[in-house]
């Protein structure tokens, strides 16, 4: 990964104008495979800005290539994470277009997202919950410094929960 690629990735707020793009990405087989049972209700959610959430588009040289959601799992209104300690963040991420997978962009998006989460001095750790079957995503998060904490069922999904504590070196391989 070159410095150019890293610096050319920008995160911006996801907006109602991104509805078509997000609906398209959400229908792509590699995205469906990673998240088969959630309905994101894009039409409604893109017009809302609850205090417990950021929805972001990652752009490469101005071209949207990925989506990231950051939530505060303790205050998120559906209580997806159930009883969870305060001062955490939980992340969802995908690269939308299959042509951009496996080129290092996800890693650089995550490095920015991790820094963004820990910019808040109160935040102690970040959680992710890939499907138990998504072993490539497990490797991706492990390379970023996340550690497996537990297997857990969310709705219909058997997941593996990974956690990155503040102060852990994010990316030993870069
Ligand atoms: C996971 C993801 C965000 C990583 O971004 P990326 O730009 O593809 O990843 P990078 O190029 O920075 O790193 C490569 C690593 O990403 C992971 N990866 C690549 N393609 C993947 C895919 N289709 N599904 C899951 N993980 C993948 C692998 O760990 C890969 O390393 P490997 O080649 O040794 O297996 C991206 O692959 C993706 O959107 N996958 C589909 C959706 C998904 O699984 N999201 C995570 C759900 S929790």
């Amino acid at each position: 990964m070159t410095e150019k690629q890293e610096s050319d990735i920008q995160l911006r707020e996801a907006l109602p104008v991104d509805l078509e793009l997000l609906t398209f990405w959400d229908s792509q087989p590699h995205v469906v495979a990673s998240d088969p049972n959630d309905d994101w209700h894009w039409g409604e959610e893109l017009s809302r800005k609850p205090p417990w959430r950021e929805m972001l588009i990652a752009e490469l040289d101005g071209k949207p290539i990925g989506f990231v959601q950051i939530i505060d799992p303790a205050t998120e209104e559906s209580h997806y994470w159930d009883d969870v300690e305060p001062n955490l963040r939980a992340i969802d991420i995908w690269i939308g277009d299959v042509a951009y997978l496996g080129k290092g962009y996800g890693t650089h998006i995550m490095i920015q997202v991790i820094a963004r989460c820990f910019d808040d001095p109160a935040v102690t750790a970040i959680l992710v919950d890939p499907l138990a079957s998504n072993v490539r995503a497990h490797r991706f998060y492990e390379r970023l410094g996340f550690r497996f904490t537990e297997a857990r069922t969310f709705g219909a999904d058997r997941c593996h929960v990974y956690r990155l504590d503040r102060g852990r070196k994010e990316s030993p391989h870069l």
Side-chain angles (χ1 to χ4, degrees), residues 6-22:
E6 182 170 2
S7 61
D8 287 347
I9 298 227
Q10 305 281 337
L11 299 175
R12 65 155 173 87
E13 185 185 357
L15 299 167
V17 73
D18 297 308
L19 175 61
E20 197 177 331
L21 178 68
L22 284 164

Side-chain angles (χ1 to χ4, degrees), residues 30-31 34 93-95 100-108 129-131 134 136-137 139-141 143:
H30 67 284
V31 176
S34 72
I93 176 173
W94 64 76
I95 301 289
Y100 289 90
L101 287 174
K103 297 186 185 321
Y105 300 132
T107 300
H108 285 304
D129 63 333
L131 291 178
N134 195 351
R136 294 192 73 191
R139 259 204 314 272
F140 173 73
Y141 292 126
R143 274 196 292 258

Side-chain angles (χ1 to χ4, degrees), residues 135-154:
V135 291
R136 294 192 73 191
H138 303 170
R139 259 204 314 272
F140 173 73
Y141 292 126
E142 282 164 7
R143 274 196 292 258
L144 286 157
F146 284 78
R147 290 294 167 258
F148 172 80
T149 60
E150 60 174 338
R152 200 171 150 184
T153 300
F154 293 94

